[in-house]
Amino acid sequence: MNLPDSRKNEEALAKLLEESHKIRGVSLWKDAWRRLRRNRPAMASLIFLIGLGLVAFLTPMLPLQSPLDKDLNNRRFLSPSFEPITMGSREGLKFADGKLTSQLALFEAEIAAETAEALAINDPLKQAEQFESIQDRIRVEHPFNQLWNQLGSVSFKMVQIRVAIFGDYAIPSIFGTDKLGRDLLARVFWGARVSLVVGLVATLVSLMIGVSYGAIAGYFGGWIDAAMMRIVDMLYSIPFIFVVIYLVTFLGEESVKAWLESYGIDQIMIFYIIIGAIYWLTMSRVVRGQVLSLRQEQFVESARTIGASPMRIVFRHLVPNVLGIVIVYLTLTIPAVMLFEAFLSFLGLGVAPPDVSWGLLLNDGVEALSSVKLFWWVVIFPGAALAMTLFALNFLGDGLRDALDPKMKNR
Amino acid sequence: MKDLLGFLIRRLGWMAITLWAVYTVSFVLMRAAPGSPFSAERAMPPAIEQQMRARYNLDAPPLQQYWDYMWGILSRGDLSWSIKLEDYSVNQVIAEGFPVSASLAIFALVFAIILGVSAGVISAVYRGTVADVAMMATAVLGIAIPNFVLASIAILLFVFLIPLFPAAGWGTLRQVALPAICLGLPVAAYIARLTRAGMLESLSREHVRTAFAKGLPKRTVIIKHVLPGALLPVVSYLGPATAGVLTGSLVLEKIFALPGMGSHFIYAATQRDTTLATGMVLTYTVLLFVMNTIVDLAYAVIDPRVELE
Amino acid sequence: MNAAQTTHTSTEGSGSTTAEPPLLRVNDLKVHFPFRRGSLFNPEQGLIRAVDGVSFDIAKGETLGLVGESGCGKSTTARAIINLVHPTSGDVQVDGKSIAGLSDKEMLPYRRRVQMVFQDPFASLNPRMTVGGIIGEPLTVHKLASGKDRQLEVLRLMELVGLNPRFLNRYPHEFSGGQRQRIGIARALAVQPDLILCDEPVSALDVSIQAQIINLMMDLQQRLGVAYLFIAHDLAVVRHIATRVGVMYLGRIAELGTAEELYADPKHPYTEALLSAVPVPDPTIAANRRRIVLQGEVPSPDKHYPGCSFADRCPIVVDRCRTDRPGLPDRSHAAACWERDDPPEV
């Protein structure tokens, strides 16, 4: 390669590069971010959603009551109140001193004793047996497992931290209780976890399928595109909601469930896949449309003129310009998915107890409304939570769409 | 004309292929799932088993059953027998529910279109005023609140608090009104947003500015020049809107205890009545296909630039 | 149509050049697009003859200007030459080697010899890449330089086209139209091509900037010896930069000659009309010259003309023009007109 005419030496070059870095331009992403920041509702929504995500993640650590602890005798349909509550005080639990901390201490002592006994056994087989029965005992009788359902290891540790910090204190039932005496505040928080995860994961599934499918169809065009889009059109005309319900019908059959579980697929995962499999259609259409129009753009033509390979064109030129619209549709798909989950749960085909989701809560709430007395809190609080989240996602999506508007590109 | 016929024939062809695909997948699932009519372990009530044996020869090899069932559908429109509802064929159940669901859906759609378009037009014409903001805020509400919550609140307000409508049942106009409104509201909200956006875009067009400059009265301009262009996206939305209404009807029929197809479908799903579920899925598919075709035709008629594929 | 009957014009007039093939030879190039249109109830099928038999040569270091109205097929010609669009028939040769219809992969080595500068300075640069990245991309694709060397080369190119090298890390939307066109030129120069196809490179710029860019291009031609195919719809612009000029009408070449010959003594009636429409600053001259205003319908590339495509609007049309199609005679200054020159029949 030729040396520069003006014979710049190393130092001058370095200085030049440094300067160019300092006056580095504002990329379109930064530009869009700036525009988004000026949009107040969108930013408020973003903050709300981030906050919601954090709170949902930290829920096991928060001083909430148990979401599944039923009290059919004393606490059915209590209206919202500030009456103080102690963890583990329900008679039916039979916790020592009616307190969680006490029972926990007692249980841990017992387990420690049994473990010590087990260690003393000589016969390895018997020892293994003994250890197993200890594990079983923990699984069933550990106070945490009586108050919460299927805690993963991380959640388990979080609950331990919570007890260490807050002891037996729990926020009173400011959202009231439901028909089985369960605290609604706790259920809303724990339900958030499930609903949000379903929304995110299913959307991601639809994203992966949709973007690849659409990009391939859009880039190659011709008969490949025609064939792929025909398939999409066909699938579009099937009322997918019904197919999903239909599939859930089959997959809910006891024997089928067992068969699937033997493969390690549980119902929730099927859920994700099925929902994701519905929503990829729109994403693929959107991506394909965008790729098709981008293909005609002159900068893609110039990339071909330079001699760039198709891979290079797709990844360095097309994808970055498609990401914008993908992000917008992401934020608009998540609420659709969450609504759909609520819908399914309402019909009794979604998340099953003892798991909680906002949809399930709404189902309970609607049932509560049908009775004679007005138990408004059972439907209002979960409904408000869902509505606020959906609002936020919609506002954020609208704001993103404005911020990433390609018309602004050539200011 | 030739092209139109060609288009319709192609569409029919696609519908046939789609239906066949749905049918095949259903059949495979039915065979695989134990306890359903075509599988090896049959735990059906004897009455049903008798009828199915007579029709579809359940001892025959799988392929034979596949053909028989399909032939039954194609030649006689016979969708087999419901497993859980003894003495009822799937056809009977569908025939019973269809008029109810259909009228509910139509009422809801008409309501949605009227409300949505009007709201959208007013919003666009009086852009930026209180009316506009209020309407659009309500529209967002319609989209963010699930329609069964809406329905429950509506029942609370209009049945218990202010007894305007009866809570359940079917037959009079009064009884249709509340479910149709609840079903149509989210759709109306979306249509309002679409109409408003379309109107705003249409209002900024050159030919509209010319019309105003000519001195034509405002109402005439809006109705004759602005509205047609603005309505195109609404027309193309009608396809998904129908799907949405059909979906929503599932829930609302449950809440309002309406004897339509939707509640039967839910029943079939929760009770694992596979033949009934299959029959209904096929029916819904046909409905949706027909609606989409009508929408495409309407679109091609309204916008002369559009080609029918 | 075999080689003997082709109607290409070599750079004759200055002696035979059959010994060594020219840098670029375009031979009876045709690009046709089939289409279907019409309403639901009245469909029709047709053919758009965007390029309908175009032939010319370009020698090393020279500039061929290609002029014509919008829609006459000039851009499509350029695209067909480098296979962005595949020619329907005809041949394109670079240094005697045929490249018409090659796939993108096969075209790769030729991309180093022939490059292109596009019309729209806004749309021809990827908005999400830095300027340095855009200019350096050809170097990466053809593995000509990497790392520090590449950066050096990019800086050199930026200086060459008159851009401040400090702006290496800025984005296209932060530059003006003229500067973006310079970026496009720098990118085209990165592979050190022998020929650059310029598709209306200054049409989208302000008049004062146009002059700057044209001067830059002429300067580069002098320094680097690069040849240009310069496409424009403005005769005045082309006059400055071109050695030879071709006038296109409806997918065919109406007249071809050196710049002096064409401007001083136009043969084809279409060229005359075009020239007479060029504004002249001196009011006296402007008042006294003859304005030729074309009558008749604006041409449509989907209509088929059995004779000369200009017949409907030609002020000197005779009967033969409507039935026999004139080709381009094989001499230095040639016009496809029965009345004004001696064309072969095509």
Side-chain angles (χ1 to χ4, degrees):
Chain A
M1 279 283 71
N2 307 322
L3 282 174
D5 290 337
S6 39
R7 204 71 46 94
K8 291 182 164 53
N9 54 31
E10 288 286 321
E11 258 184 38
L13 174 66
K15 186 152 161 267
L16 194 75
L17 287 175
E18 197 190 301
E19 251 189 83
S20 74
H21 210 70
K22 254 190 253 160
I23 57 173
R24 187 173 36 179
V26 173
S27 76
L28 283 174
W29 296 116
K30 277 200 217 126
D31 205 29
W33 173 244
R34 277 195 201 157
R35 238 175 292 141
L36 187 66
R37 288 183 65 179
R38 274 183 256 146
N39 182 345
R40 292 240 191 90
M43 284 313 284
S45 304
L46 185 62
I47 295 177
F48 171 76
L49 288 169
I50 295 181
L52 181 66
L54 267 173
V55 164
F57 178 68
L58 293 175
T59 297
M61 268 208 280
L62 301 174
L64 297 165
Q65 299 179 40
S66 158
L68 4 133
D69 191 27
K70 312 190 246 271
D71 190 348
L72 293 155
N73 299 321
N74 303 324
R75 298 187 53 112
R76 298 189 67 206
F77 284 130
L78 290 181
S79 57
S81 78
F82 285 97
E83 206 187 297
I85 274 283
T86 320
M87 286 298 287
S89 58
R90 179 168 73 91
E91 271 180 36
L93 281 173
K94 301 202 179 66
F95 279 5
D97 287 342
K99 285 201 262 176
L100 175 62
T101 43
S102 324
Q103 180 69 7
L104 190 61
L106 184 63
F107 188 80
E108 280 178 348
E110 287 179 11
I111 292 291
E114 284 188 24
T115 317
E117 261 182 50
L119 282 171
I121 301 181
N122 288 319
D123 182 356
L125 251 146
K126 277 234 174 79
Q127 193 179 66
E129 251 182 64
Q130 194 67 351
F131 274 129
E132 233 193 89
S133 79
I134 295 183
Q135 287 303 320
D136 282 337
R137 187 158 176 225
I138 294 182
R139 211 181 351 253
V140 176
E141 291 179 25
H142 193 293
F144 287 177
N145 288 334
Q146 292 190 47
L147 290 175
W148 290 279
N149 181 40
Q150 286 181 348
L151 292 171
S153 44
V154 176
S155 310
F156 198 88
K157 294 217 175 55
M158 284 210 243
V159 178
Q160 283 180 322
I161 297 177
R162 172 252 172 101
V163 175
I165 303 178
F166 296 103
D168 289 313
Y169 172 75
I171 301 180
S173 294
I174 52 180
F175 279 4
T177 63
D178 69 356
K179 72 170 184 262
L180 294 180
R182 298 176 289 203
D183 173 42
L184 212 56
L185 179 68
R187 284 173 74 76
V188 168
F189 273 86
W190 282 87
R193 291 169 69 103
V194 174
S195 293
L196 285 176
V197 168
V198 168
L200 275 172
V201 173
T203 303
L204 275 174
V205 169
S206 74
L207 176 86
M208 289 194 301
I209 307 179
V211 171
S212 355
Y213 196 89
I216 294 177
Y219 182 71
F220 284 103
W223 65 268
I224 299 183
D225 174 38
M228 290 174 96
M229 281 302 125
R230 269 278 174 259
I231 298 181
V232 169
D233 285 339
M234 211 170 78
L235 292 176
Y236 228 81
S237 59
I238 301 178
F240 245 104
I241 319 290
F242 298 92
V243 174
V244 166
I245 296 181
Y246 185 59
L247 281 177
V248 173
T249 311
F250 278 108
L251 300 174
E253 192 91 20
E254 285 309 317
S255 38
V256 177
K257 246 205 240 175
W259 178 72
L260 283 171
E261 249 154 58
S262 68
Y263 280 91
I265 308 174
D266 65 339
Q267 189 173 23
I268 282 258
M269 215 180 292
I270 296 183
F271 217 65
Y272 295 151
I273 298 179
I274 293 185
I275 298 187
I278 303 181
Y279 288 94
W280 71 266
L281 289 175
T282 309
M283 182 75 77
S284 77
R285 269 197 178 169
V286 165
V287 168
R288 173 214 178 231
Q290 186 78 343
V291 169
L292 271 183
S293 71
L294 279 179
R295 257 172 80 215
Q296 313 293 0
E297 289 280 333
Q298 279 187 9
F299 69 82
V300 174
E301 266 194 323
S302 8
R304 274 182 70 197
T305 312
I306 296 173
S309 67
M311 286 302 272
R312 195 186 164 85
I313 293 182
V314 167
F315 286 108
R316 285 228 66 187
H317 293 273
L318 289 175
V319 168
N321 284 293
V322 167
L323 274 185
I325 212 173
V326 167
I327 292 179
V328 171
Y329 266 88
L330 256 188
T331 46
L332 293 178
T333 308
I334 298 181
V337 171
M338 289 179 73
L339 260 179
F340 187 59
E341 181 274 314
F343 184 76
L344 281 182
S345 299
F346 180 76
L347 294 173
L349 294 168
V351 173
D355 282 323
V356 198
S357 79
W358 282 344
L360 215 54
L361 289 178
L362 283 172
N363 187 14
D364 291 343
V366 167
E367 274 177 21
L369 278 183
S370 325
S371 35
V372 182
K373 287 192 73 185
L374 262 188
F375 300 123
W376 55 272
W377 56 92
V378 192
V379 76
I380 293 291
F381 288 117
L386 183 62
M388 281 202 303
T389 311
L390 294 181
F391 259 124
L393 281 166
N394 268 306
F395 277 133
L396 185 61
D398 281 344
L400 278 174
R401 195 191 296 157
D402 285 338
L404 289 167
D405 190 343
K407 273 192 227 105
M408 299 297 225
K409 186 167 64 168
N410 301 320
R411 289 172 306 138
Chain B
M1 254 316 146
K2 232 176 6 145
D3 229 36
L4 177 62
L5 206 59
F7 167 74
L8 283 176
I9 293 181
R10 271 194 299 272
R11 269 304 164 97
L12 265 177
W14 278 111
M15 181 166 92
I17 296 181
T18 310
L19 285 175
W20 172 80
V22 172
Y23 167 75
T24 308
V25 170
S26 317
F27 188 81
V28 168
L29 282 175
M30 277 201 282
R31 272 222 55 119
S36 74
F38 295 97
S39 70
E41 318 144 29
R42 291 183 301 276
M44 287 183 294
I48 305 288
E49 191 173 334
Q50 224 175 8
Q51 286 162 331
M52 299 208 67
R53 193 179 289 275
R55 283 254 155 89
Y56 306 118
N57 202 350
L58 292 179
D59 293 323
L63 215 55
Q64 182 71 20
Q65 296 178 19
Y66 178 79
W67 280 117
D68 285 340
Y69 187 27
M70 186 156 78
W71 186 243
I73 298 179
L74 289 175
S75 60
R76 299 184 297 269
D78 176 10
L79 287 162
S80 176
W81 299 91
S82 158
I83 300 182
K84 293 289 155 62
L85 298 169
E86 300 204 10
D87 280 344
Y88 275 99
S89 74
V90 171
N91 293 53
Q92 281 175 304
V93 178
I94 293 183
E96 211 182 86
F98 186 76
V100 178
S101 301
S103 31
L104 177 64
I106 293 177
F107 273 115
L109 269 178
V110 167
F111 167 73
I113 294 176
I114 296 180
L115 181 63
V117 171
S118 325
V121 169
I122 296 180
S123 253
V125 171
Y126 296 108
R127 178 187 187 180
T129 63
V130 174
D132 176 22
V133 173
M135 283 194 184
M136 283 305 115
T138 322
V140 182
L141 261 182
I143 297 178
I145 299 185
N147 63 1
F148 50 91
V149 173
L150 210 62
S152 321
I153 298 181
I155 293 185
L156 251 183
L157 289 176
F158 298 114
V159 177
F160 292 127
L161 274 174
I162 320 166
L164 267 182
F165 299 100
W170 183 257
T172 68
L173 198 64
R174 261 260 186 99
Q175 286 171 321
V176 174
L178 201 53
I181 293 178
C182 290
L183 189 55
L185 264 178
V187 182
Y190 205 78
I191 290 183
R193 283 182 87 179
L194 275 182
T195 310
R196 178 180 185 272
M199 288 282 297
L200 288 179
E201 217 214 281
S202 206
L203 276 171
S204 63
R205 288 277 173 82
E206 297 276 335
H207 63 91
V208 169
R209 278 162 50 190
T210 318
F212 275 122
K214 280 202 287 191
L216 292 175
K218 200 169 175 189
R219 185 174 303 179
T220 316
V221 178
I222 291 183
I223 296 184
K224 272 182 74 176
H225 294 271
V226 182
L227 204 51
L231 283 184
L232 279 178
V234 175
V235 168
S236 66
Y237 174 63
L238 283 182
T242 313
V245 161
L246 286 179
T247 314
S249 68
L250 291 182
V251 168
L252 283 176
E253 287 182 17
K254 178 180 174 186
I255 296 185
F256 286 97
L258 301 172
M261 280 210 305
S263 45
H264 286 131
F265 187 60
I266 300 301
Y267 171 83
T270 44
Q271 298 298 316
R272 323 279 178 218
D273 189 342
T274 44
T275 43
L276 185 56
T278 306
M280 300 199 112
V281 171
L282 288 172
T283 311
Y284 278 120
T285 306
V286 169
L287 276 176
L288 201 58
F289 226 97
V290 168
M291 190 61 186
N292 277 328
T293 307
I294 296 181
V295 167
D296 283 341
L297 273 174
Y299 205 86
V301 165
I302 298 181
D303 186 353
R305 294 172 293 179
V306 167
E307 252 182 49
L308 282 182
E309 314 176 15
Chain C
M1 191 148 303
N2 65 41
Q5 292 174 318
T6 52
T7 52
H8 74 260
T9 339
S10 58
T11 45
E12 222 83 276
S14 42
S16 157
T17 53
T18 41
E20 198 188 286
L23 177 57
L24 179 74
R25 164 162 290 170
V26 174
N27 202 351
D28 198 34
L29 185 65
K30 294 192 184 172
V31 184
H32 294 164
F33 301 111
F35 71 94
R36 246 182 47 152
R37 63 141 182 243
S39 69
L40 171 58
F41 303 100
N42 190 19
E44 44 174 290
Q45 220 160 13
L47 201 63
I48 292 194
R49 297 176 174 77
V51 180
D52 202 20
V54 162
S55 310
F56 55 79
D57 291 350
I58 302 185
K60 265 199 172 55
E62 78 163 346
T63 303
L64 174 68
L66 202 54
V67 201
E69 300 174 356
S70 307
C72 71
K74 344 184 266 291
S75 289
T76 315
T77 306
R79 278 181 170 67
I81 290 178
I82 48 171
N83 280 317
L84 280 180
V85 153
H86 283 306
T88 312
S89 72
D91 197 15
V92 177
Q93 291 176 1
V94 171
D95 273 347
K97 287 194 225 110
S98 175
I99 64 169
L102 287 185
S103 72
D104 277 354
K105 214 168 167 201
E106 293 162 336
M107 277 295 289
L108 198 57
Y110 293 103
R111 303 276 186 222
R112 292 194 53 187
R113 315 248 3 245
V114 183
Q115 270 298 320
M116 189 153 165
V117 171
F118 292 84
Q119 174 175 2
D120 187 347
F122 297 79
S124 60
L125 306 175
N126 185 343
R128 304 198 187 262
M129 283 176 81
T130 60
V131 157
I134 292 176
I135 298 179
E137 192 176 10
L139 299 172
T140 313
V141 169
H142 294 271
K143 302 191 176 50
L144 295 173
S146 61
K148 261 277 166 56
D149 286 335
R150 190 172 155 240
Q151 261 181 344
L152 275 174
E153 182 63 10
V154 169
L155 291 170
R156 180 188 79 93
L157 285 164
M158 287 178 79
E159 273 192 336
L160 195 58
V161 299
L163 286 169
N164 190 335
R166 277 182 191 74
F167 295 141
L168 180 65
N169 281 321
R170 287 230 164 142
Y171 291 85
H173 63 265
E174 296 171 299
F175 291 88
S176 71
Q179 286 171 322
R180 289 185 221 192
Q181 218 41 319
R182 291 175 196 261
I183 297 172
I185 295 173
R187 174 177 57 188
L189 288 174
V191 294
Q192 298 183 328
D194 295 315
L195 170 66
I196 300 186
L197 311 176
C198 310
D199 185 6
E200 303 209 44
V202 294
S203 304
L205 304 174
D206 292 335
V207 176
S208 50
I209 311 288
Q210 285 185 14
Q212 283 181 19
I213 300 294
I214 297 209
N215 284 331
L216 168 68
M217 291 178 71
M218 290 176 70
D219 188 42
L220 288 170
Q221 185 173 53
Q222 243 191 3
R223 286 217 253 171
L224 306 172
V226 62
Y228 291 128
L229 174 66
F230 194 93
I231 298 176
H233 59 254
D234 184 351
L235 276 176
V237 160
V238 164
R239 181 180 198 155
H240 202 51
I241 190 176
T243 13
R244 291 165 60 237
V245 178
V247 176
M248 271 186 83
Y249 185 80
L250 221 53
R252 305 174 191 170
I253 294 192
E255 187 168 349
L256 187 60
T258 66
E260 296 87 40
E261 287 170 340
L262 209 110
Y263 283 84
D265 179 30
K267 283 196 194 170
H268 198 284
Y270 179 60
T271 318
E272 282 183 336
L274 275 184
L275 281 173
S276 81
V278 174
V280 162
D282 188 332
T284 335
I285 305 182
N288 286 332
R289 64 176 182 165
R290 199 177 110 235
R291 271 297 300 270
I292 303 177
V293 177
L294 293 177
Q295 312 291 340
E297 275 185 28
V298 175
S300 168
D302 59 335
K303 283 220 199 80
H304 178 56
Y305 298 91
C308 173
S309 48
F310 191 56
D312 285 341
R313 309 172 77 192
C314 185
I316 58 169
V317 63
V318 296
D319 284 334
R320 188 179 183 195
C321 300
R322 297 193 202 277
T323 52
D324 298 339
R325 177 179 157 174
L328 206 58
D330 189 8
R331 63 171 78 93
S332 154
H333 182 186
C337 178
W338 294 119
E339 291 289 295
R340 294 288 180 76
D341 202 346
D342 185 22
E345 187 168 337
V346 163

